[in-house]
């Protein structure tokens, strides 16, 4: 968040007994854009503090009556504690250090330089904002009912869920596309739960795991004697899903000859068991999923074009986790809660760990995030997920690229994030800084581009 954005949102309380300094700080900080309240002593400051929610408190250490140390102690005992910056004269440095030990964010010596003060305030506010967001996210996760399976507050995932709600009530077949690990099966279940069939069977099949020789038997069933070893007849998945939903994952992996028979089921609602001689009618709503682009599969002759057009009536595209960065922390707390058998509300994720989680590119998407959180919770010796428990640790400030002219043997291979940063820089240079064109070339939305620019310290 920019300094201007911080100053529009940050609410400050100045507790200072020297009238001239108090009024000067109040005037100048308001002029800089902060929302400011002031108090003349510790008692008044504590009273105002209890009446309103402040993000940052500027607290003089040496005051008549209740001094800053006592005011700090009482404020720290309250809930929703702000970050507290103490003012001290040269003769009370030792007291200021004592305040730091008791939870003060920082201390400044008098006379206070306004630009230095504003820099410390901005950093204190950012820490306070992250901590409050951390608390709110945990509360939000704790409110999630057990039957709810999709966690996310980003605009892109909310758009997906709105599409699910809108199309779930229809009886048309749905095609869900997205990278591996993005949660396509959860979306399929959400479609089922939004339909009139929600109390009926939800049957899943991974077409990539179907044996080419037995795929028909698995889907359509078989009669006794249909093949060697078929000692008795068996219903297939189509019959098991009757009146409900059949979720067919990795549909691109289905053998071409079986695709022909699937198309007939979609068109007529009937099929024959393997070896059978009469049609069986079923009422099934199909939800398909693919981690491949089916158009490309069609062009390569790996997927029937007529089947593609039949199942592509209501497509839902599930975005990869890197395009929904706002969901990373809520998902982390959700997985932490499930990994610790409901005890996740008592766990913490440090600011450094949250920064590392937010900066990682997540090639394995939500599935990878779940596994990372589970692993960290197992390795933790106390209920805190710190950055050293994560299998990656991206630096807060990206290092400079390798100097021009250095040989490949003089440096280690570049990490993936450095390659991504440099590629984004090159694309921006090519389009002369046009963010919309750059996002289109990079095949990401503008919000994701801006997130990456801020993460890598590039101009926004």
């Amino acid at each position: 968040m920019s300094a201007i954005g911080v100053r529009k949102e940050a609410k400050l309380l100045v507790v200072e007994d020297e009238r001239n300094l108090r009024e000067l700080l109040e005037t100048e900080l308001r002029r800089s854009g902060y929302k400011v309240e002031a108090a003349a002593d510790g008692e008044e400051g504590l009273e105002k503090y209890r009446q309103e929610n402040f993000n940052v408190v500027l607290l003089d250490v040496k005051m008549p009556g209740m001094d800053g140390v006592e005011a700090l102690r009482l404020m720290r005992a309250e809930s929703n504690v702000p970050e507290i910056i103490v003012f001290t004269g040269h003769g009370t440095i030792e007291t200021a250090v004592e305040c730091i030990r008791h939870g003060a964010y920082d201390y400044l010596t008098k006379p206070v330089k306004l630009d230095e003060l504003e820099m410390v305030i901005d950093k204190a506010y950012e820490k306070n904002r992250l901590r409050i967001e951390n608390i709110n996210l945990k509360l939000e996760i704790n409110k999630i009912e057990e039957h709810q399976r999709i966690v996310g507050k980003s605009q892109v995932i909310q758009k997906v869920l709105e599409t699910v709600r809108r199309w779930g009530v229809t009886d048309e077949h749905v095609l869900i596309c997205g990278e591996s690990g993005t949660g396509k099966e959860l979306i399929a279940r959400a479609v089922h739960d939004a339909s009139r069939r929600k109390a009926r069977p939800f049957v899943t099949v991974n077409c990539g795991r179907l044996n080419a020789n037995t795929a028909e038997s698995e889907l359509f069933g078989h009669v006794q004697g249909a093949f060697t070893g078929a000692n008795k007849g068996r219903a297939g998945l189509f019959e098991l899903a009757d009146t409900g939903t059949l979720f067919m994952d990795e549909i691109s992996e289905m053998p071409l000859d079986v695709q022909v028979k699937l198309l007939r089921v979609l068109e007529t609602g009937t099929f024959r068991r393997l070896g059978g001689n009469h049609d069986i009618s079923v009422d099934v709503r199909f939800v398909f999923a693919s981690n491949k682009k089916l158009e490309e599969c069609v062009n390569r002759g790996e997927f029937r074009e007529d089947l593609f057009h039949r199942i592509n009536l209501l497509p839902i595209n599930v975005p990869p986790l890197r395009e929904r960065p706002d969901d990373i922390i809520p998902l982390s707390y959700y997985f932490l809660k499930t990994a610790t058998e409901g005890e996740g509300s008592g766990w913490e994720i440090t600011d450094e760990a949250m920064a590392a989680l937010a900066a990682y590119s997540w090639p394995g998407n939500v599935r990878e995030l779940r596994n990372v959180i589970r692993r960290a919770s197992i390795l933790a010796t106390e209920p805190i997920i710190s950055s050293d428990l994560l299998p990656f640790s991206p630096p807060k400030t990206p290092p400079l690229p390798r100097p021009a002219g250095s040989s490949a043997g003089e440096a280690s291979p570049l990490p993936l994030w450095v390659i991504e940063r440099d590629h984004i820089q090159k694309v921006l240079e090519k389009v002369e800084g046009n963010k919309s064109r750059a996002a289109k070339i990079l095949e990401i939305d503008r919000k994701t581009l801006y997130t990456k620019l801020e993460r890598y310290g590039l101009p926004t």
Side-chain angles (χ1 to χ4, degrees):
M1 181 179 292
S2 66
I4 294 175
V6 165
R7 292 169 188 178
K8 285 183 178 180
E9 297 182 9
K11 191 168 186 179
L12 314 182
L13 173 62
V14 178
V15 185
E16 172 58 62
D17 64 311
E18 294 181 26
R19 178 179 177 181
N20 291 339
L21 178 57
R22 181 176 68 251
E23 292 180 352
L24 176 64
L25 289 172
E26 189 175 3
T27 300
E28 293 300 324
L29 290 173
R30 281 179 178 167
R31 186 175 296 166
S32 296
Y34 300 103
K35 300 173 184 177
V36 185
E37 294 288 333
D41 53 44
E43 287 86 352
E44 183 184 0
L46 189 61
E47 183 179 352
K48 286 194 173 185
Y49 165 77
R50 287 170 172 167
Q51 291 174 350
E52 298 184 51
N53 291 324
F54 295 95
N55 303 111
V56 180
V57 174
L58 309 179
L59 182 63
D60 190 15
V61 169
K62 192 174 182 180
M63 293 182 292
M66 181 187 294
D67 63 10
V69 177
E70 179 65 11
L72 170 66
R73 186 185 67 79
L74 293 173
M75 288 180 182
R76 294 293 298 176
E78 302 278 345
S79 59
N80 299 323
V81 181
E83 299 302 326
I84 301 173
I85 302 169
V86 296
F87 293 150
T88 177
H90 290 292
T92 56
I93 295 293
E94 192 173 316
T95 305
V97 173
E98 186 68 19
C99 288
I100 296 294
R101 293 197 188 102
H102 285 83
Y105 174 76
D106 204 349
Y107 72 90
L108 297 173
T109 56
K110 295 180 181 179
V112 178
K113 295 180 180 179
L114 185 61
D115 57 347
E116 181 182 0
L117 174 60
E118 290 178 349
M119 181 178 67
V120 175
I121 289 173
D122 291 347
K123 290 181 178 179
Y125 169 75
E126 183 64 15
K127 181 178 180 182
N128 178 258
R129 185 186 67 81
L130 286 172
R131 184 163 53 79
I132 292 174
E133 184 179 77
N134 197 341
I135 293 170
N136 289 339
L137 286 171
K138 287 194 291 183
L139 292 174
E140 184 178 323
I141 295 302
N142 289 336
K143 292 178 182 177
I144 295 176
E145 299 294 337
E146 289 303 316
H147 68 274
Q148 290 181 292
R149 303 181 179 93
I150 301 172
V151 177
K153 64 175 185 177
S154 65
Q155 290 184 355
V156 287
I157 201 64
Q158 290 303 316
K159 185 176 180 180
V160 168
L161 294 178
E162 176 56 34
T163 302
V164 166
R165 287 188 287 268
R166 188 169 67 251
W167 290 349
V169 296
T170 75
D171 226 22
E172 297 292 343
H173 310 313
V174 173
L175 173 62
I176 304 171
C177 297
E179 297 177 7
S180 294
T182 51
K184 296 186 290 296
E185 183 171 349
L186 298 184
I187 298 296
R189 287 183 179 274
V191 170
H192 174 73
D193 290 342
S195 74
R196 65 178 178 82
R197 303 171 183 265
K198 62 182 179 180
R200 308 304 300 167
F202 179 84
V203 179
T204 66
V205 55
N206 188 320
C207 299
R209 297 177 181 175
L210 287 177
N211 186 301
N213 298 322
T214 61
E216 288 188 52
S217 175
E218 290 289 329
L219 296 174
F220 306 113
H222 61 262
V223 299
Q224 183 177 0
F227 52 84
T228 303
N231 298 321
K232 60 180 180 180
R234 196 189 76 169
L237 295 177
F238 289 167
E239 287 179 78
L240 296 178
D242 191 23
T243 72
T245 300
L246 178 60
F247 173 55
M248 305 191 73
D249 198 6
E250 296 189 30
I251 186 63
S252 62
E253 304 300 321
M254 176 173 283
L256 284 168
D257 57 338
V258 183
Q259 291 180 28
V260 177
K261 297 183 177 181
L262 172 61
L263 181 62
R264 180 174 182 268
V265 177
L266 296 175
E267 296 288 356
T268 66
T270 63
F271 66 93
R272 290 186 180 183
R273 285 186 177 182
L274 188 62
N277 54 18
H278 68 276
D279 290 340
I280 298 174
S281 297
V282 289
D283 173 22
V284 175
R285 202 247 184 108
F286 289 86
V287 177
F288 305 95
S290 175
N291 58 11
K292 295 181 180 180
K293 294 182 178 180
L294 290 181
E295 298 96 326
E296 296 178 1
C297 295
V298 170
N299 293 335
R300 292 194 298 267
E302 298 171 356
F303 199 81
R304 292 183 60 92
E305 184 174 7
D306 49 2
L307 178 58
F308 168 68
H309 291 305
R310 184 65 181 82
I311 69 177
N312 195 41
L313 178 63
L314 298 179
I316 297 177
N317 293 309
V318 185
L321 190 55
R322 63 181 175 273
E323 292 183 10
R324 38 184 289 212
D326 291 346
D327 295 337
I328 292 173
I329 303 304
L331 280 166
S332 298
Y333 273 113
Y334 177 75
F335 292 140
L336 184 58
K337 181 179 180 180
T338 57
T340 56
E341 298 181 350
E343 297 177 1
S345 58
W347 283 62
E348 296 286 344
I349 301 177
T350 66
D351 292 347
E352 292 79 8
M354 285 197 290
L357 291 168
Y360 185 58
S361 60
W362 299 109
N365 291 296
V366 179
R367 184 184 295 122
E368 182 182 8
L369 174 60
R370 179 189 62 196
N371 292 339
V372 164
I373 295 298
R374 282 180 175 176
R375 174 183 179 274
S377 68
I378 293 171
L379 295 176
T381 56
E382 54 184 330
I384 297 176
I385 303 298
S386 54
S387 58
D388 61 303
L389 297 174
L390 304 177
F392 46 79
S393 183
K396 294 181 180 178
T397 303
L400 294 174
R402 189 171 60 201
S406 61
S407 65
E410 295 175 357
S412 300
L414 294 175
L416 181 61
W417 67 264
V418 174
I419 298 172
E420 181 181 55
R421 179 200 63 186
D422 293 347
H423 181 60
I424 290 174
Q425 282 182 305
K426 291 177 182 178
V427 171
L428 285 169
E429 290 172 3
K430 182 177 180 180
V431 299
E432 299 179 343
N434 188 308
K435 305 296 191 304
S436 297
R437 289 178 61 194
K440 187 174 182 180
I441 292 172
L442 294 166
E443 296 187 358
I444 58 177
D445 56 39
R446 288 185 63 185
K447 182 177 179 182
T448 301
L449 176 59
Y450 277 102
T451 299
K452 291 180 181 293
L453 293 177
E454 291 180 358
R455 180 186 305 162
Y456 297 141
L458 300 176
T460 57

